[in-house]
Amino acid sequence: MSSEVRTDQRGRVTIPKEVRDRYGEKFRLVELDSGIKLVPIPDDPLEELQAAASDELREATLEELEEAAREEAREQAGENVR
């Protein structure tokens, strides 16, 4: 799905309902060399990450999990983050 959105006078963007229904209400704005990307944030990011993780990652500290999540977001974006 691809759609065009614009900012309003206050700089806000309205995300279409179909997209919010599919990905949720909370997103992280990632600035890339070629533009921006919205990455959905799960209701419980830590639980989501642990559920998808190996035993080694399940036993990791919060700091280690946060770094792993940042690296995964960079990989999913397929570009270098500024």
Side-chain angles (χ1 to χ4, degrees), residues 5-37:
V5 295
R6 296 174 188 248
T7 58
D8 66 12
Q9 291 178 338
R10 294 179 58 190
R12 297 175 296 190
V13 173
T14 300
I15 298 172
K17 182 177 182 338
E18 304 81 46
V19 175
R20 294 191 319 268
D21 288 346
R22 183 171 180 185
Y23 295 104
E25 297 285 331
K26 195 172 179 182
F27 298 85
R28 179 167 313 281
L29 178 77
V30 180
E31 187 176 352
L32 307 169
D33 291 336
S34 63
I36 60 171
K37 182 172 186 166

Side-chain angles (χ1 to χ4, degrees), residues 23 30 32 37-40 49 52 68-81:
Y23 295 104
V30 180
L32 307 169
K37 182 172 186 166
L38 293 176
V39 179
L49 184 59
R70 283 191 288 275
E71 289 178 20
E72 179 66 22
R74 289 184 192 111
E75 289 177 18
Q76 286 182 12
E79 295 187 349
N80 294 327
V81 178

Side-chain angles (χ1 to χ4, degrees), residues 44-59:
D44 187 345
L46 184 58
E47 182 180 303
E48 187 87 8
L49 184 59
Q50 287 175 326
S54 65
D55 289 337
E56 179 181 342
L57 192 54
R58 283 190 190 108
E59 297 170 5

